[in-house]
Amino acid sequence: MVDDGTVYTVSARKVEVLLAVLLVRAGQVVGLEQLMAEIWGEDLPRRATAGLHVYVSQLRKFLARPEQADSPIVTTHAGYMFQLGSDVLDVHEFQRIVADGRRSRREGLLEQAFMQFEKAIGMWRGPALGDQRNGPALTAFAGWAELAKMECAEQLVDCALELGRHREYVGYLYTMTSEHPFREVFYQQLMLALYRSGCRAEALQVYQSARTVLDSEFGLEPCRNLRDLQRAILLGDPQLEAAVA
């Protein structure tokens, strides 16, 4: 949590998980049973409900600010709800910037879109929620967030390729194909970036790597887009050349 330039962190893991769940479901009531499942899983302690109330109390103290009369954590008959008020979650800011980037790209403002996607990616500091993915709510949110991050990365590289910045993203795309070996679009982008950088053989080698991975894991051939790109590279299709030198 950042307040007026000062960074605060929760040191107790269970309180940290509680805060994460409430933030993921900000503006919604989260039931006691769901909160306990996120914190303890199926191995509930004998006094889990009392323990939850203690953690909520600790979290309220952590969030308390002199200028803030009411706690952002609201108690209801069904559970607890986190009210953001004027505060902002970084994930919401990420979504807003990505949406701006998509809009800029649709309008043909490639340089602006590129900077917006780059800013959005720059907000990430490791995997979503770190190692807090215990319960179903946090696991689902982390999965969604990681997917949103990959889609943003795809948009960023697409803009870079359209702007002729293929050489700058070869290393980045090698990393992405290594970290996400089943995401075929990263292979496609890497092949194109390599081809435009004068590395035709390396581009074709990337295709073979993708084919090997997909076949060994799933018994599948690369998707049509990858196959078409391989064929175009073999033929030296002039349409593959960068729009900007």
Side-chain angles (χ1 to χ4, degrees):
M1 184 177 69
V2 181
D3 181 26
D4 196 25
T6 303
V7 178
Y8 301 87
T9 57
V10 180
S11 56
R13 177 174 174 79
K14 288 182 172 59
V15 178
E16 187 180 34
V17 171
L18 172 64
L19 175 59
V21 177
L22 291 174
L23 289 177
V24 165
R25 297 291 177 84
Q28 306 174 36
V29 175
V30 186
L32 300 184
E33 291 186 0
Q34 182 174 4
L35 288 171
M36 290 187 288
E38 295 290 332
I39 294 172
W40 288 289
E42 296 180 357
D43 189 21
L44 291 180
R46 182 177 300 176
R47 294 176 55 81
T49 302
L52 174 61
H53 293 324
V54 170
Y55 295 144
V56 171
S57 177
Q58 292 174 349
L59 184 55
R60 281 193 169 120
K61 291 179 182 179
F62 171 76
L63 296 170
R65 293 294 177 268
E67 70 281 1
Q68 191 175 36
D70 299 322
S71 171
I73 302 176
V74 178
T75 304
T76 73
H77 70 281
Y80 295 99
M81 177 175 64
F82 196 104
Q83 291 184 330
L84 283 173
S86 60
D87 295 327
V88 178
L89 287 181
D90 51 4
V91 67
H92 294 166
E93 185 69 3
F94 169 78
Q95 288 179 288
R96 182 190 66 77
I97 297 171
V98 170
D100 289 344
R102 291 181 185 276
R103 183 164 50 252
S104 296
R105 191 178 178 194
R106 286 195 302 268
E107 294 172 356
L109 304 173
L110 285 180
E111 186 68 40
Q112 182 172 311
F114 172 83
M115 290 189 293
Q116 288 163 328
F117 290 131
E118 187 177 47
K119 181 179 180 180
I121 285 292
M123 295 179 67
W124 282 77
R125 300 178 298 276
L129 298 180
D131 60 350
Q132 300 173 11
R133 315 175 187 196
N134 292 332
L138 293 187
T139 299
F141 174 82
W144 166 84
E146 291 292 343
L147 181 60
K149 178 185 177 182
M150 283 193 288
E151 290 174 347
C152 179
E154 292 172 13
Q155 295 273 350
L156 172 66
V157 176
D158 279 344
C159 287
L161 292 175
E162 290 182 52
L163 290 166
R165 298 176 183 175
H166 37 272
R167 293 180 184 275
E168 300 173 32
Y169 278 84
V170 168
Y172 177 79
L173 285 166
Y174 268 118
T175 300
M176 296 304 284
T177 56
S178 175
E179 293 179 354
H180 309 284
F182 309 134
R183 193 80 172 183
E184 293 176 83
V185 67
F186 290 133
Y187 291 109
Q188 183 178 343
Q189 291 173 329
L190 177 56
M191 288 170 64
L192 188 56
L194 285 167
Y195 179 79
R196 290 179 175 177
S197 300
C199 304
R200 185 180 179 187
E202 288 87 344
L204 294 172
Q205 188 174 30
V206 169
Y207 175 83
Q208 293 303 326
S209 297
R211 186 179 184 184
T212 298
V213 168
L214 294 170
D215 179 63
S216 62
E217 292 293 333
F218 306 109
L220 296 174
E221 283 292 310
C223 67
R224 181 174 179 178
N225 286 343
L226 270 178
R227 298 197 306 270
D228 289 346
L229 180 56
Q230 183 219 24
R231 191 176 304 109
I233 290 174
L234 288 170
L235 296 174
D237 190 336
Q239 293 185 8
L240 295 181
E241 298 299 329
V244 181

